[in-house]
């Protein structure tokens, strides 16, 4: 019998093939420097509306001097979050998405220390995402779509990222951003992040294949 390859499996295999063709590998034996906590992120899903937000901890004496973003998303931008019904059922993927957008918006780069991999920590109130990122592995849909994009962004930048779990009462600033309460933040330091301007590497292709599959 003929083995049927699903659209999602085909997309993943195509991505792997491209990586091998480009001889794009992870370099071992590099130096390593840990830069501590860089940003904190959160996500909120209610009905058809999703809001993700994050603020940059590094070098800031508090939220008043920190760069930050808050982004409202809908079914149009992230249809994969609604595959199982309401978006809150995909909250782990959405909170990891908030961390991913922090990487894209705040752009921590390897160039800070030539020849070394940079270790960063992100703060969040989803404890399971810390384990997911440590393993760089998940079979949970749609979490693995976001994880693959995040892993590609980190590989591109020679970054290592861990998520430090913070109880919700210790992540109130990021939580405020998802509630679109900006009183504690400087409006001049808001990063004008728009979904259509984010430079994803694999997520649109994988998400399209997953939508066709599911």
């Amino acid at each position: 019998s003929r083995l049927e390859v699903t659209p999602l499996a085909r997309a993943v295999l195509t991505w792997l093939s491209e990586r091998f063709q480009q001889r794009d590998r992870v370099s071992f034996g590099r130096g390593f420097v840990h830069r501590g906590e860089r940003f904190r992120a959160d996500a909120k899903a209610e009905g058809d509306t999703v809001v993700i937000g994050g603020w940059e901890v590094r070098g800031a004496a508090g939220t008043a001097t920190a760069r930050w973003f808050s982004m409202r998303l809908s079914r149009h931008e992230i249809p994969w979050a609604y595959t199982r019904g309401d978006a809150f059922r995909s909250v782990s993927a959405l909170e990891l998405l908030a961390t991913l957008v922090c990487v894209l918006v705040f752009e921590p780069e390897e160039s800070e220390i030539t020849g070394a991999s940079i270790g960063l920590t992100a703060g969040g109130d989803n404890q399971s995402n810390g384990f997911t990122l440590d393993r760089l592995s998940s079979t949970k849909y749609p979490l693995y779509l976001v994880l693959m994009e995040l892993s590609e962004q980190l590989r591109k930048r020679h970054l290592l990222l861990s998520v430090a779990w913070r109880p919700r009462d210790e992540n109130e600033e990021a939580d405020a951003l998802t509630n679109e309460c900006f009183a504690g933040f400087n409006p001049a330091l808001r990063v004008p992040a728009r979904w259509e301007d984010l430079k994803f590497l694999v997520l649109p292709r994988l998400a399209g294949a997953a939508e066709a599959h599911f």
Side-chain angles (χ1 to χ4, degrees):
S1 62
R2 183 179 179 183
L3 178 65
E4 181 181 355
V5 180
T6 66
L8 181 57
R10 184 178 295 109
V12 173
L13 292 172
T14 300
W15 165 66
L16 289 173
S17 175
E18 291 171 355
R19 295 282 73 74
F20 284 125
Q21 290 175 20
Q22 294 176 14
R23 300 186 179 275
D24 218 348
R25 307 288 196 272
V26 174
S27 299
F28 291 91
R30 297 170 59 89
F32 175 78
V33 178
H34 197 278
R35 287 301 202 185
E37 187 177 26
R38 281 301 184 91
F39 42 77
R40 298 177 190 171
D42 201 7
K44 177 183 178 179
E46 285 188 357
D48 274 351
T49 300
V50 171
V51 182
I52 61 174
W55 65 286
E56 193 174 32
V57 178
R58 180 191 71 165
T63 58
T65 59
R67 292 192 298 166
W68 59 280
F69 77 92
S70 180
M71 184 184 300
R72 183 178 283 234
L73 301 171
S74 68
R75 191 184 297 265
H76 173 71
E77 289 91 3
I78 49 172
W80 45 265
Y82 298 84
T83 303
R84 295 188 295 172
D86 292 331
F88 75 86
R89 298 180 182 275
S90 302
V91 66
S92 292
L94 295 173
E95 293 189 340
L96 193 63
L97 179 68
T99 300
L100 164 63
V101 174
C102 281
V103 173
L104 296 174
V105 168
F106 301 135
E107 297 184 325
E109 293 287 351
E110 178 212 8
S111 58
E112 298 173 9
I113 300 179
T114 303
S117 292
I118 309 301
L120 307 177
T121 302
D125 51 35
N126 188 308
Q127 193 168 16
S128 65
N129 277 347
F131 302 132
T132 298
L133 196 52
D134 288 343
R135 297 192 307 263
L136 279 179
S137 175
S138 176
T139 58
K140 185 178 179 181
Y141 178 82
L143 180 61
Y144 62 74
L145 298 180
V146 183
L147 181 62
M148 289 180 70
E149 177 67 39
L150 180 55
S151 69
E152 275 292 88
Q153 296 290 348
L154 296 176
R155 178 197 58 77
K156 175 184 175 183
R157 293 169 168 80
H158 293 294
L159 297 177
L160 300 172
L161 182 66
S162 60
V163 174
W165 174 67
R166 290 182 169 276
R168 184 162 292 276
D169 59 358
E170 295 182 14
N171 200 38
E172 292 178 345
E173 300 90 348
D175 185 60
L177 292 175
T178 66
N179 287 309
E180 300 180 307
C181 298
F182 309 140
F185 293 86
N186 185 342
L189 295 177
R190 181 173 187 172
V191 179
R194 300 193 308 165
W195 180 261
E196 56 268 29
D197 294 334
L198 298 177
K199 296 180 180 179
F200 294 115
L201 299 174
V202 296
L203 183 59
R205 181 196 310 177
L206 294 177
E211 188 175 3
H213 174 66
F214 288 102

